[in-house]
Amino acid sequence: MTKLYSLPLCLFLFFCSFSALSQHSVEGRTLDASGEPVAFANVILLNAQDSTTVYRGAVSSEDGRFSLKSVTEDNYLLKISFVGFEDLLQRIEVTGNKQLGDITLNENTATLNEVSINYKNPSVKREVDRLVFSVENTTLSTGSSWDILKKTPGVILSGNSLMVRNQSVQVYINDRKVQLTASELQTLLENYSAENIKSIEVITTPPSRYDAEGGAILNIVTTKSIAPGYKGNINGAWTQAIYPKFQVGTSHYYKTDKLNLFGNYTNSTRKEYKEDDSYINFRDGADNIGNRWETNFDRTTQSNAHNANILLDYNFDDNNILNFSSNLTYSPNETFNNNVFTRVYEMNEEVENLITKSELEEDVSNVAFDLEFKHLLDKPGAQVSTKAHYTRYDHDREQGINTSIVDLDATTSNYAFTTEAQQGIEIFTGQLDFITPIGSTSFESGIKASVITSESGIDYFRMAPHSSTYIFDEDQSDNFLYDENIYAAYFSLATDWEKWSIKGGLRGEYTDRTGDSRSMEQIDIREYFELFPTFYLQHSFNDNHSLTFDYSRRIQRPRYESLNPFRYYLTEFDYNSGNPSLEASISNNFTLSYALKNEYFFDLYYRDSGETPQTLSFQDNEQMLIRRVSMNLLESKSVGIDITHGRSVANWWYAYAYVSLFNEERTFVAIESGDVPVTLEIDGFYGSLYNNIIISKDGTLTGELSLTYVSDWLSGSYKMDPMTTLSLGLRKTLWNNRAEVSVNVEDLLDETNTWLKSRYLNQDNGYYPRPETRYLRVGFKYNFGNFRLSDNQRAIEAAERDRI
């Protein structure tokens, strides 16, 4: 690995040698017409050449004074703005330290003469390597970050998982990967206010600076108020589905000249109900139905989850910044009570009943820490940063199952067993990145190391015949150890000229992994090195038309829980199991995109995902059981066209539509059908329409209406029937935006849940899951402290981030 480290290190030492330019300061004081100081006004220096690029920014103190430091000699435009005052523009020349004296701001007499709506509508912009959905200070800025992600163009919500182009996504916050499960991520973002979000970046083809693993990336770019002060809120939500659910939380934000500190805590108490109907037609060698099982399953889940987050930014000076973030999720004593009733038919006559009761108890904790130090070099646009990450995940589970087999013409027999399982995962990562302009070209490079260790075990105890004593079953018990080390290095170049933009990069990753199953006496060792190129080319014909082509090579590694060979039982005849022999798969992704007026977007894509790890279901017609197994596909392909359009229908109505026409094809080995290859293929349609409406003239009452339709879908080895989801939401702000009340109704038509069926060769089974997708949620949030801080600072923060 020495060669991989040497290139970024040499480049870093070379580009650190640039000399500093002469630096000066610009100082003054902001006053209103009566001579009173204007505190927290935005003060920005714009480059005079284009009048838009921000060079420096500051905010006036409580006595109205401001100071812009480290200013090089040049001509600038000084812009000062504050809510309720007209923007001030003034050309200045800096040849040394400059004293501007008192500057008077004129009140904006047009503001609130009648009714003023202080929101704008969201916008979408196509960049060379991503789609940017800008939501800062828009009609979407109320509510939660989770709400915004669900409404981002191209994002699909499947259950609790976010998807783009039929693949799961990775979520980043300010380019930091969020190491949380899907449910933990939802809890975090539901309690992170939407007013903190500047934009959502949809990166379908991630550049080489990101890990090569996974599919698309959703990067949440936040706004950070730079006005000193404190603000906070308390919030709560009541959700009524079949059972009521409660959530309470509090968030706090504190800012000084050097420190940004954000913390929040959420407690979620939930009782959830899920009911499934399923069938299995067990077929003989002549494809005749021998037995038919019809099953009704219900599960009641109770949980009390705690989630806490801390985000800290500390600016030592203009060039040195420290970022720290942490997340703690703890869910003790989560219980699952399962009841399964199965009717067994022979020749259409009911002959037997299977009655299973299962109790499961889990303790789950997930702790993550991120630390980043960023140094801005003297050369504008150049910086070096180092990052470290640590995750500790623990999962303890106890399960007890009791099954009664009732022969309708004879006797009843009972079977019972218990399991005790534990899993602990630790993840360490370290990363060094370097960015610098080389003339008109932007250059990035970096190195990264990841060390993952996982240790899990299960003890299986079976009830002895004609006894209430449980006996340890060594064949079903196991200990599994998994270690994975990944070392990576990358570089990328990007440049613009005339109407063209081009970006390309290369990432190399070396993986060393070992899986050790003690009971199977099987040690699986794999080492491999792969290169992952990325390429983007964009041509802007004019302001209304642009065409983009991109390509990337990616890798999909098995999830740790999928490698675990243990079994999770629904009944003795229905279970899930992992596979320590799973392999990583390589995908190749191509996209051709056309943008019209930055309102209409057309994406034609092709994806060859190769031997992607999947969870597939198989019925054993001889043993009469069904199992879900993690295994690699033989082949997986997808082709489709996505069409996105968002616009302001009126100044009070914003709408966007997303339509996807696609073909999905996957081939796998049918392990219960003679190990022959089987191909499943669908032609699907996905469509969604979202509307955000300002109902009241003062903008304090807004409404949302969304409709989603899916014609067909592949889920593992199942084909999903069509589904429709209609949702409605209302949000009202009170007491001059001090408080907020929201009401949401999900799945109004009760058409979200649908059948999933598997029918090929000798396989014939299906199920109809019915979780609580239909519910009413009422939320309340109360803001305290100087909760208007961010509203006064949005413009400068957006510009300040652009100059970094």
Side-chain angles (χ1 to χ4, degrees):
M1 290 306 300
T2 303
K3 293 182 179 180
L4 294 177
Y5 282 73
S6 59
L7 176 59
L9 182 59
C10 292
L11 290 169
F12 167 70
L13 294 175
F14 174 76
F15 288 109
C16 279
S17 63
F18 290 99
S19 59
L21 300 175
S22 299
Q23 306 287 306
H24 305 293
S25 64
V26 177
E27 298 179 350
R29 186 170 65 155
T30 54
L31 304 174
D32 61 17
S34 63
E36 293 296 320
V38 178
F40 308 135
N42 300 331
V43 184
I44 305 173
L45 277 186
L46 301 168
N47 288 335
Q49 290 84 354
D50 58 13
S51 304
T52 58
T53 303
V54 173
Y55 179 72
R56 285 287 184 269
V59 62
S60 62
S61 61
E62 292 186 4
D63 62 359
R65 299 185 184 277
F66 63 87
S67 178
L68 299 160
K69 298 180 180 180
S70 302
V71 180
T72 59
E73 296 181 359
D74 206 342
N75 292 316
Y76 300 96
L77 280 178
L78 176 71
K79 180 179 179 180
I80 302 178
S81 59
F82 190 72
V83 174
F85 292 86
E86 295 178 354
D87 289 353
L88 181 143
L89 281 174
Q90 178 180 328
R91 184 177 294 273
I92 64 172
E93 181 180 1
V94 177
T95 57
N97 294 334
K98 195 170 189 69
Q99 292 289 338
L100 298 176
D102 294 341
I103 301 174
T104 300
L105 302 181
N106 297 320
E107 291 188 16
N108 186 352
T109 57
T111 301
L112 300 178
N113 276 349
E114 296 179 357
V115 176
S116 175
I117 297 174
N118 297 316
Y119 290 109
K120 60 184 180 181
N121 284 314
S123 63
V124 181
K125 180 182 178 182
R126 168 74 68 187
E127 295 186 354
V128 66
D129 61 349
R130 66 197 65 195
L131 192 75
V132 180
F133 184 47
S134 298
V135 296
E136 183 181 14
N137 203 23
T138 69
T139 52
L140 299 181
S141 294
T142 57
S144 72
S145 302
W146 181 255
D147 294 330
I148 290 182
L149 278 186
K150 292 191 299 181
K151 295 155 187 150
T152 299
V155 175
I156 298 170
L157 183 64
S158 177
N160 291 329
S161 299
L162 299 167
M163 305 183 73
V164 171
R165 292 181 184 169
N166 308 336
Q167 285 193 319
S168 59
V169 300
Q170 302 173 81
V171 175
Y172 285 66
I173 299 179
N174 294 327
D175 272 339
R176 303 177 198 170
K177 188 176 181 179
V178 180
Q179 302 278 1
L180 298 175
T181 65
S183 60
E184 292 168 349
L185 175 67
Q186 181 176 350
T187 300
L188 169 65
L189 296 179
E190 282 180 341
N191 293 279
Y192 192 71
S193 175
E195 68 179 0
N196 298 320
I197 306 301
K198 173 188 174 185
S199 62
I200 305 294
E201 298 177 341
V202 184
I203 311 173
T204 55
T205 307
S208 58
R209 66 179 301 213
Y210 295 100
D211 291 343
E213 183 175 358
I217 288 175
L218 296 178
N219 184 38
I220 301 172
V221 181
T222 64
T223 62
K224 302 174 186 175
S225 166
I226 63 172
Y230 163 79
K231 67 175 181 177
N233 69 67
I234 55 174
N235 58 81
W238 166 77
T239 302
Q240 181 63 55
I242 295 176
Y243 293 117
K245 303 149 187 46
F246 305 93
Q247 183 172 292
V248 294
T250 181
S251 297
H252 303 270
Y253 176 82
Y254 178 69
K255 166 68 175 157
T256 68
D257 290 337
K258 293 182 177 292
L259 175 69
N260 287 280
L261 181 62
F262 171 83
N264 82 324
Y265 166 77
T266 304
N267 175 248
S268 180
T269 302
R270 302 179 67 85
K271 186 176 182 180
E272 299 172 293
Y273 183 80
K274 181 177 184 288
E275 186 175 8
D276 294 357
D277 291 327
S278 63
Y279 69 88
I280 308 175
N281 292 320
F282 293 104
R283 295 180 176 271
D284 58 24
D287 201 33
N288 298 313
I289 298 176
N291 284 37
R292 177 179 173 86
W293 288 15
E294 295 181 354
T295 299
N296 176 261
F297 161 83
D298 68 76
R299 169 187 294 159
T300 302
T301 304
Q302 291 184 281
S303 62
N304 184 25
H306 306 266
N307 185 278
N309 305 275
I310 294 177
L311 304 174
L312 181 150
D313 300 324
Y314 187 80
N315 298 344
F316 294 96
D317 51 42
D318 289 342
N319 294 331
N320 296 284
I321 305 167
L322 180 69
N323 306 119
F324 171 79
S325 64
S326 66
N327 176 269
L328 167 64
T329 300
Y330 180 51
S331 181
N333 303 319
E334 185 171 2
T335 60
F336 303 81
N337 291 312
N338 302 328
N339 296 291
V340 186
F341 184 84
T342 300
R343 291 182 170 88
V344 178
Y345 295 88
E346 290 182 1
M347 305 297 293
N348 294 323
E349 180 180 351
E350 185 176 357
V351 296
E352 199 171 62
N353 295 152
L354 308 178
I355 305 171
T356 300
K357 293 186 178 296
S358 170
E359 294 184 355
L360 180 68
E361 183 173 314
E362 292 184 339
D363 291 326
V364 179
S365 65
N366 191 343
V367 182
F369 301 96
D370 284 276
L371 186 66
E372 177 184 12
F373 179 76
K374 183 184 298 182
H375 175 64
L376 306 182
L377 303 176
D378 291 333
K379 184 178 182 180
Q383 67 177 48
V384 61
S385 64
T386 180
K387 302 176 185 177
H389 171 84
Y390 171 74
T391 288
R392 173 70 196 190
Y393 175 84
D394 289 287
H395 185 181
D396 296 334
R397 183 174 68 198
E398 295 183 2
Q399 183 182 20
I401 290 183
N402 187 294
T403 300
S404 298
I405 302 178
V406 181
D407 190 327
L408 299 185
D409 294 327
T411 59
T412 299
S413 56
N414 293 291
Y415 297 91
F417 63 90
T418 64
T419 62
E420 298 176 1
Q422 308 84 33
Q423 182 170 32
I425 300 173
E426 284 190 312
I427 302 173
F428 300 88
T429 66
Q431 185 171 344
L432 177 67
D433 297 288
F434 173 65
I435 302 173
T436 186
I438 306 175
S440 61
T441 300
S442 174
F443 173 81
E444 299 182 25
S445 68
I447 54 177
K448 181 178 180 180
S450 302
V451 178
I452 300 102
T453 60
S454 173
E455 182 175 354
S456 51
I458 187 170
D459 293 329
Y460 187 98
F461 301 89
R462 180 179 294 277
M463 182 181 287
H466 312 295
S467 170
S468 60
T469 303
Y470 284 86
I471 302 173
F472 178 71
D473 189 332
E474 186 175 359
D475 293 336
Q476 296 275 18
S477 303
D478 196 5
N479 286 304
F480 182 67
L481 307 177
Y482 181 79
D483 296 300
E484 182 178 272
N485 300 322
I486 303 173
Y487 305 100
Y490 77 91
F491 75 89
S492 71
L493 296 165
T495 188
D496 301 326
W497 77 97
E498 295 180 353
K499 297 182 178 182
W500 293 88
S501 296
I502 189 170
K503 183 174 182 178
L506 182 65
R507 186 180 185 93
E509 292 190 354
Y510 169 78
T511 304
D512 177 9
R513 51 164 278 193
T514 302
D516 182 2
S517 174
R518 298 298 174 84
S519 69
M520 299 173 64
E521 297 184 351
Q522 175 182 336
I523 299 178
D524 184 56
I525 300 176
R526 299 189 184 177
E527 298 180 51
Y528 53 90
F529 175 79
E530 295 285 349
L531 291 173
F532 302 98
T534 56
F535 177 75
Y536 315 83
L537 180 64
Q538 184 180 71
H539 179 62
S540 298
F541 299 94
N542 50 48
D543 292 340
N544 293 329
H545 304 274
S546 68
L547 193 65
T548 306
F549 170 79
D550 62 64
Y551 163 77
S552 70
R553 190 173 189 260
R554 309 282 290 168
I555 189 170
Q556 183 69 48
R557 296 185 177 90
R559 296 178 59 86
Y560 308 123
E561 60 184 352
S562 299
L563 292 163
N564 191 324
F566 309 155
R567 294 180 179 180
Y568 165 65
Y569 288 88
L570 185 62
T571 71
E572 286 205 356
F573 313 99
D574 189 339
Y575 63 86
N576 302 335
S577 65
N579 179 6
S581 298
L582 283 177
E583 299 182 6
S585 67
I586 299 295
S587 67
N588 290 278
N589 310 275
F590 304 84
T591 304
L592 182 64
S593 305
Y594 170 66
L596 174 62
K597 297 181 179 180
N598 262 324
E599 289 185 355
Y600 300 87
F601 300 92
F602 304 85
D603 296 334
L604 178 64
Y605 68 89
Y606 171 77
R607 180 177 65 241
D608 184 349
S609 300
E611 301 177 352
T612 305
Q614 286 277 322
T615 299
L616 306 177
S617 298
F618 300 100
Q619 66 185 66
D620 185 331
N621 290 301
E622 295 183 1
Q623 300 294 326
M624 285 193 294
L625 58 83
I626 189 167
R627 55 181 172 142
R628 282 156 291 280
V629 184
S630 298
M631 59 186 294
N632 287 97
L633 302 178
L634 295 178
E635 193 175 56
S636 178
K637 296 179 180 179
S638 179
V639 62
I641 180 169
D642 296 343
I643 304 172
T644 305
H645 173 54
R647 64 179 301 177
S648 299
V649 182
N651 60 358
W652 49 270
W653 179 11
Y654 172 78
Y656 92 78
Y658 170 66
V659 173
S660 180
L661 302 169
F662 57 88
N663 172 272
E664 291 275 350
E665 179 182 312
R666 60 183 57 164
T667 303
F668 57 89
V669 175
I671 58 177
E672 293 293 347
S673 309
D675 290 336
V676 300
V678 169
T679 298
L680 301 181
E681 183 177 5
I682 61 165
D683 294 312
F685 169 83
Y686 178 97
S688 66
L689 176 64
Y690 167 75
N691 300 271
N692 185 283
I693 300 173
I694 300 175
I695 300 173
S696 63
K697 290 184 177 181
D698 60 358
T700 61
L701 178 62
T702 61
E704 298 175 355
L705 181 67
S706 61
L707 176 67
T708 300
Y709 174 77
V710 183
S711 65
D712 294 285
W713 202 267
L714 284 181
S715 177
S717 50
Y718 289 100
K719 291 185 178 181
M720 188 180 77
D721 284 353
M723 57 165 280
T724 303
T725 302
L726 178 65
S727 302
L728 174 68
L730 294 171
R731 183 170 284 108
K732 171 68 175 178
T733 57
L734 306 168
W735 311 323
N736 198 20
N737 290 330
R738 177 70 69 174
E740 177 185 297
V741 177
S742 62
V743 179
N744 291 277
V745 183
E746 297 289 333
D747 193 14
L748 279 165
L749 303 178
D750 197 19
E751 295 288 340
T752 296
N753 299 320
T754 187
W755 275 98
L756 292 92
K757 299 175 182 178
S758 180
R759 179 68 182 101
Y760 63 88
L761 300 177
N762 64 349
Q763 301 290 292
D764 187 0
N765 62 85
Y767 69 101
Y768 179 32
R770 296 196 300 278
E772 295 176 296
T773 56
R774 196 181 196 189
Y775 59 81
L776 168 69
R777 174 176 294 160
V778 179
F780 177 78
K781 181 171 71 172
Y782 181 77
N783 300 303
F784 46 82
N786 192 357
F787 67 98
R788 299 182 187 280
L789 288 178
S790 60
D791 293 336
N792 294 338
Q793 304 303 324
R794 292 181 189 275
I796 186 172
E797 174 56 27
E800 282 291 282
R801 288 185 60 84
D802 291 340
R803 74 175 173 85
I804 295 177

